[in-house]
């Protein structure tokens, strides 16, 4: 299985994907561009949408130079507040529909019903296996990108190349673990194939195909109610940080979004895209994939296959590095009290053991771990504690501390000894992660956009650029945190 999946650049299945969305990246709004010659697959997709009752004048699929097939404003443009599209669930590929079909029945023992990604991946392969003659959604399937075209998706990078490009990055371990889990799951699925040969043609259902389908789901599926759905037309929208256009749930045939669940009871729900700003005819219509709110560059690359931004400054600003900080020591005499305090505050079980944090190069993120680490190092016998904190620590030891009051006190420095210990812990974790990464002066040249030099336009060069941009962001987050806590350590020692 591992050797089969290592060739995941080329899907070991019929290759019908020739007009793919090959560049899903941007910052801000891009003005309209002259459409490229529309491939026949795009004409088929438009006809299929029309035949399915999706006849939006507001937006339409188009192929733009450098972007591939994407979503653009219609010939009359759009105004703020316009309903841009409404795609009924009958056209969605959903986990529940796959689970209710022959593929779902065959794998029910090995694929949990709540594993929406796996069910969608198998559903995609099922649609592909039917071929043009027997697949009602073939025009949509035909537009999906091939493995070769998803250049930036680390899930599809060969193991050796990925390990080399992402050496020292958190993302390397993240992707390696994800691939291993998917291949283990595929091995379980593969065991049921012989009994259902008519459902699982091996030309499509194989390890490489399973990885490809998961990459499609990862980069294109959208949350819809309690499930993940693949939603034709809407999934052509590219990314722009801070895009004002909003995705929501509405009622099929009734226009815009709804605000209450009862409004769709007994009716067919639809995925709705509403314009948050005007757009001129032919201007690309973007949505924000999450960058403006919480996604770091490593997660954007893992999920969507690109790193937002076009300059070193932007890649640095978008950076993040997940780190784990150990919490309360198992030998701490106050471990039961500290666990009880966190539980009283609503923390999850095991919160006292430590904290994962996607560290970002911002002041608030660089100290986000501090309250738990202060709690971990809190002792009523610490003479350096501020008087109020010392009383709270004594109350904690006697099981009478006010959880809210103590946690509030831990949001700021509580004493030189505690701050020195926290600083040493944070610096140790950050410096260990930094030591594994290549230096910034090595990463910056590799991260530069295509300069038109020999080799620049290759898939290998693009993967190297993406990896370097992620690691520049990781370095930025780690170095910002080190800078903050070196000052804390110096102040505590003064």
């Amino acid at each position: 299985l591992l050797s089969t999946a290592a060739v995941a650049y080329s899907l070991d299945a019929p290759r019908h994907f020739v007009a793919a969305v090959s560049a899903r990246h941007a910052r801000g709004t891009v003005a309209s561009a002259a459409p490229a010659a529309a491939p026949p697959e795009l004409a088929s997709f438009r006809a299929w949408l029309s035949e399915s009752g999706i006849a939006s004048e507001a937006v339409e699929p188009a192929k733009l130079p450098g972007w591939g097939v994407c979503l653009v404003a219609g010939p009359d443009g759009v105004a703020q507040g316009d309903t841009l599209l409404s795609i009924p669930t009958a056209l969605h590929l959903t986990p529940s529909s796959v689970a209710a079909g022959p593929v779902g029945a065959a794998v029910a023992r090995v694929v949990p019903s709540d594993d929406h990604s796996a069910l969608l991946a198998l559903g995609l392969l099922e649609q592909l296996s039917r071929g043009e003659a027997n697949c009602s959604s073939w025009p949509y399937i035909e537009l999906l990108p091939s493995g070769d075209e998803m250049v930036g998706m680390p899930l599809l990078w060969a193991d050796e190349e990925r390990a080399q490009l992402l050496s020292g990055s958190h993302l390397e371990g993240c992707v390696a673990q994800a691939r291993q889990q998917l291949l283990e799951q595929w091995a379980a699925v593969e065991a049921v194939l012989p009994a259902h040969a008519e459902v699982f043609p091996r030309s499509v259902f194989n390890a490489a195909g399973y990885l490809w389908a998961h990459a499609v789901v990862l980069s294109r599926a959208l949350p819809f109610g309690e499930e993940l759905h693949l939603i034709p037309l809407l999934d052509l929208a590219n990314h722009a940080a801070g895009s004002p256009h909003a995705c929501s749930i509405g009622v099929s045939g009734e226009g815009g979004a709804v605000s209450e669940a009862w409004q769709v009871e007994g009716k067919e729900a639809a995925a709705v895209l509403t314009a948050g700003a005007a757009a001129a005819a032919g201007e690309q219509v973007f949505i924000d994939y999450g960058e403006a709110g919480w996604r770091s560059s490593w997660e954007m690359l893992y999920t969507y296959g690109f790193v937002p931004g076009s300059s070193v400054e932007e890649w640095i600003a978008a950076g993040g590095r997940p780190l784990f900080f150990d919490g309360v020591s198992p030998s701490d005499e106050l471990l039961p009290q500290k666990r009880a305090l966190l539980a009283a505050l609503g923390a999850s079980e095991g919160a006292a053991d430590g904290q994962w944090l996607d560290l970002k190069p911002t002041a608030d993120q660089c100290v986000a771990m501090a309250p738990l680490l202060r709690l971990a190092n809190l002792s009523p016998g610490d003479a350096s504690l501020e008087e109020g904190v010392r009383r709270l620590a004594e109350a904690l030891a006697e099981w009478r501390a006010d959880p809210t009051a103590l946690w509030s006190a831990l949001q700021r420095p509580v004493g030189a000894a505690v701050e020195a210990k926290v600083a040493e812990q944070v610096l140790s974790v950050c410096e260990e992660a930094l030591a594994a990464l290549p230096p910034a002066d090595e990463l910056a040249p590799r991260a530069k956009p295509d300069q038109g030099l020999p080799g620049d336009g290759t898939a290998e060069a693009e993967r190297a650029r993406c990896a370097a941009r992620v690691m520049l962001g990781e370095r930025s987050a780690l170095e910002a945190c080190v800078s903050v806590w070196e000052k804390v350590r110096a102040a505590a020692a003064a």
Side-chain angles (χ1 to χ4, degrees), residues 256-351:
V258 300
S259 56
E260 301 290 340
W262 62 265
Q263 293 175 278
V264 296
E265 289 180 1
K267 303 176 182 178
E268 184 179 15
V272 174
L273 181 62
T274 304
E283 184 177 325
Q284 198 171 164
V285 173
F286 297 97
I287 59 176
D288 189 327
Y289 293 1
E291 179 197 0
W294 48 276
R295 279 190 164 129
S296 299
S297 57
W298 70 266
E299 189 173 1
M300 294 293 287
L301 181 63
Y302 175 75
T303 308
Y304 302 111
F306 67 89
V307 177
S310 57
S311 67
V312 171
E313 292 74 22
E314 288 178 303
W315 304 322
I316 284 175
R321 172 64 183 245
L323 294 172
F324 184 78
F325 296 93
D326 288 325
V328 184
S329 170
S331 62
D332 190 326
E333 293 181 354
L334 299 184
L335 175 59
Q337 291 94 320
K338 292 177 180 180
R339 280 180 172 165
L341 178 137
L342 291 170
L345 292 169
S348 60
E349 184 178 356

Side-chain angles (χ1 to χ4, degrees), residues 27 63 69 192 197 269 318 387 402 419 472:
R27 273 198 179 268
K63 186 175 183 180
V69 180
V192 309
E387 181 61 25
D402 179 337
E419 293 307 296
L472 277 173

Side-chain angles (χ1 to χ4, degrees), residues 181-424:
Q181 290 172 346
L182 289 175
L183 291 171
E184 288 172 355
Q185 186 177 57
W186 171 252
V189 170
E190 191 174 38
V192 309
L193 302 193
H196 305 275
E198 74 288 353
V199 178
F200 299 102
R202 295 310 299 270
S203 60
V204 172
F205 284 91
N206 51 59
Y210 195 57
L211 287 173
W212 165 80
H214 269 280
V216 171
V217 171
L218 187 62
S219 59
R220 303 175 79 92
L222 291 163
F224 191 87
E226 299 298 318
E227 292 188 326
L228 276 178
H229 287 194
L230 283 167
I231 306 173
L233 189 59
L234 178 55
D235 69 359
L236 294 181
N238 283 317
H239 164 75
S243 171
H245 308 309
C247 300
S248 57
I249 295 176
V251 176
S252 179
E254 296 187 12
V258 300
S259 56
E260 301 290 340
W262 62 265
Q263 293 175 278
V264 296
E265 289 180 1
K267 303 176 182 178
E268 184 179 15
V272 174
L273 181 62
T274 304
E283 184 177 325
Q284 198 171 164
V285 173
F286 297 97
I287 59 176
D288 189 327
Y289 293 1
E291 179 197 0
W294 48 276
R295 279 190 164 129
S296 299
S297 57
W298 70 266
E299 189 173 1
M300 294 293 287
L301 181 63
Y302 175 75
T303 308
Y304 302 111
F306 67 89
V307 177
S310 57
S311 67
V312 171
E313 292 74 22
E314 288 178 303
W315 304 322
I316 284 175
R321 172 64 183 245
L323 294 172
F324 184 78
F325 296 93
D326 288 325
V328 184
S329 170
S331 62
D332 190 326
E333 293 181 354
L334 299 184
L335 175 59
Q337 291 94 320
K338 292 177 180 180
R339 280 180 172 165
L341 178 137
L342 291 170
L345 292 169
S348 60
E349 184 178 356
D353 300 336
Q355 176 183 10
W356 274 104
L357 176 67
D358 189 9
L359 187 67
K360 294 179 173 62
T362 60
D364 59 334
Q365 282 288 294
C366 288
V367 296
M369 75 297 287
L372 177 63
L373 303 192
R374 289 176 183 135
L375 176 65
N377 288 284
L378 191 66
S379 169
D382 183 352
S384 74
L385 291 177
E386 295 179 358
E387 181 61 25
V389 177
R390 184 183 60 77
R391 288 197 297 269
L392 287 169
E394 291 172 348
L396 177 68
E398 297 169 2
W399 292 92
R400 55 182 180 82
D402 179 337
T404 303
L406 179 51
W407 190 250
S408 177
L410 294 172
Q411 303 305 305
R412 57 188 184 277
V414 296
V418 169
E419 293 307 296
K421 292 177 182 176
V422 172
E424 288 298 334

Side-chain angles (χ1 to χ4, degrees), residues 80-248:
Q80 183 177 358
D82 282 355
T83 297
L84 301 180
L85 55 79
S86 178
I87 311 296
T89 52
L91 291 187
H92 302 191
L93 181 60
T94 71
S96 53
S97 65
V98 177
V103 167
V107 302
R109 291 187 300 103
V110 295
V111 177
S113 60
D114 61 353
D115 190 342
H116 295 171
S117 295
L119 289 169
L120 284 177
L122 290 167
L124 268 181
L125 294 177
E126 179 189 22
Q127 297 297 311
L128 176 61
S129 71
R130 291 180 180 178
E132 183 175 3
N134 299 306
C135 177
S136 60
S137 59
W138 185 255
Y140 170 65
I141 300 297
E142 199 172 29
L143 280 183
L144 295 175
S146 70
D148 287 342
E149 290 162 322
M150 289 191 283
V151 172
M153 293 295 291
L155 190 64
L156 301 183
W157 297 0
D159 290 338
E160 184 177 347
E161 183 183 21
R162 186 194 68 246
Q164 177 184 2
L165 292 179
L166 292 172
S167 178
S169 171
H170 157 80
L171 189 54
E172 154 56 12
C174 176
V175 177
Q177 182 180 28
R179 279 177 62 98
Q180 179 181 351
Q181 290 172 346
L182 289 175
L183 291 171
E184 288 172 355
Q185 186 177 57
W186 171 252
V189 170
E190 191 174 38
V192 309
L193 302 193
H196 305 275
E198 74 288 353
V199 178
F200 299 102
R202 295 310 299 270
S203 60
V204 172
F205 284 91
N206 51 59
Y210 195 57
L211 287 173
W212 165 80
H214 269 280
V216 171
V217 171
L218 187 62
S219 59
R220 303 175 79 92
L222 291 163
F224 191 87
E226 299 298 318
E227 292 188 326
L228 276 178
H229 287 194
L230 283 167
I231 306 173
L233 189 59
L234 178 55
D235 69 359
L236 294 181
N238 283 317
H239 164 75
S243 171
H245 308 309
C247 300
S248 57

